[in-house]
């Protein structure tokens, strides 16, 4: 079974989101670390996942 492409996934980890959307790594990590209530972040235990919607 093959891994799904990044464009096909519903949830991305921060590294995948940075690669897929060409974000600045430093600015993106600062955003998800400082802001507590972002509508596109899902917490899975202590992991932060980005919801594609």
């Amino acid at each position: 079974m093959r891994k799904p492409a990044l464009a096909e996934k519903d949830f991305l980890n921060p590294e995948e989101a940075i690669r897929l959307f060409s974000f600045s790594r430093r600015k993106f990590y600062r955003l998800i670390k400082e802001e507590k209530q972002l509508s596109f972040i899902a917490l899975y235990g202590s992991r932060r996942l980005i919801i594609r919607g």
Side-chain angles (χ1 to χ4, degrees):
M1 187 170 173
R2 68 174 179 86
K3 289 185 177 181
L6 291 180
E8 298 172 350
K9 294 176 77 176
D10 293 329
F11 294 93
L12 303 170
N13 66 37
E15 286 297 320
E16 292 171 336
I18 290 167
R19 255 188 292 140
L20 182 63
F21 298 113
S22 300
F23 292 141
S24 164
R25 176 173 273 113
R26 180 180 60 217
K27 289 180 183 178
F28 187 71
Y29 273 112
R30 187 180 328 138
L31 172 71
I32 64 174
K33 189 175 183 179
E34 290 175 358
E35 299 294 326
K36 298 297 180 195
Q37 297 296 327
L38 295 172
S39 62
F40 58 88
I41 298 290
L43 293 177
Y44 182 72
S46 63
R47 295 176 54 197
R48 287 185 173 91
L49 298 175
I50 291 74
I51 302 169
R52 292 189 60 221

